[in-house]
Amino acid sequence: GIKPAYSTYIMFIRNSAADKNMGHDTAASWHLKMTEAGVRPTVDSFNVVITAYARKGNQMALFSWLEKMLNDGLEPTVEVYTSIINSFAVLRDAYGADEWMQRMVDKGLQPDIQLLSTLIKACLRADEVQVAMKWLDWMSVEGFKPGVNTY
């Protein structure tokens, strides 16, 4: 018979992830079906699942999927780090967000102004002004121009 291609699976994974109720588990299920069918996952397919769990604040599942991605020999991209950092922001965990932003920067990946703003807001919501200031200073050194949404 005909085997579904990556494009078919990623469509189901993306559509499932969009469901705000149980989409994270359904997206993960489709991802597993894809790999069981012998279709090689990509950083993008993993990121869709990671992002779905990040939105739910389910870091245990998020990091489990990150580990699967790494075990498949795939390296996180800015988008993957963004999902991870956003998960810490949702939980108002300034130190977790700071740690993962630092990991991303240490890997030579450049955050965008939106991610930096998310991190700074998470720090301020958690009353971690020093962490927020660290990244505002970093932005200045790196030539970023903070906007109204940064504060």
Side-chain angles (χ1 to χ4, degrees):
I2 298 173
K3 271 179 61 174
Y6 174 82
S7 59
T8 303
Y9 282 108
I10 194 65
M11 179 185 68
F12 280 108
I13 293 167
R14 284 183 194 282
N15 287 338
S16 298
D19 177 355
K20 293 189 189 316
N21 294 318
M22 293 303 294
H24 51 290
D25 289 331
T26 308
S29 175
W30 276 108
H31 201 282
L32 290 172
K33 288 177 187 177
M34 178 177 74
T35 57
E36 288 167 1
V39 176
R40 181 144 169 77
T42 65
V43 171
D44 183 51
S45 67
F46 276 107
N47 190 47
V48 173
V49 176
I50 288 168
T51 300
Y53 282 114
R55 278 194 215 114
K56 283 293 194 186
N58 186 340
Q59 288 189 318
M60 187 182 308
L62 178 156
F63 285 112
S64 171
W65 280 92
L66 177 64
E67 186 176 339
K68 289 175 188 181
M69 186 182 96
L70 293 169
N71 288 340
D72 270 10
L74 300 170
E75 287 296 317
T77 59
V78 170
E79 292 77 19
V80 174
Y81 280 103
T82 297
S83 297
I84 295 167
I85 293 163
N86 281 333
S87 77
F88 284 103
V90 166
L91 298 172
R92 294 185 179 191
D93 180 347
Y95 290 106
D98 172 58
E99 176 188 341
W100 280 90
M101 180 70 83
Q102 192 63 59
R103 285 184 187 198
M104 184 177 107
V105 169
D106 289 348
K107 286 275 190 179
L109 300 172
Q110 185 79 10
D112 62 18
I113 192 74
Q114 183 178 354
L115 179 56
L116 287 160
S117 296
T118 298
L119 172 65
I120 290 166
K121 285 179 190 174
C123 293
L124 294 175
R125 285 185 191 129
D127 266 348
E128 296 298 342
V129 176
Q130 294 295 38
V131 180
M133 290 304 299
K134 167 189 166 183
W135 289 103
L136 279 169
D137 290 344
W138 183 90
M139 288 172 66
S140 177
V141 168
E142 294 295 317
F144 282 89
K145 301 279 188 244
V148 147
N149 291 328
T150 307
Y151 301 104

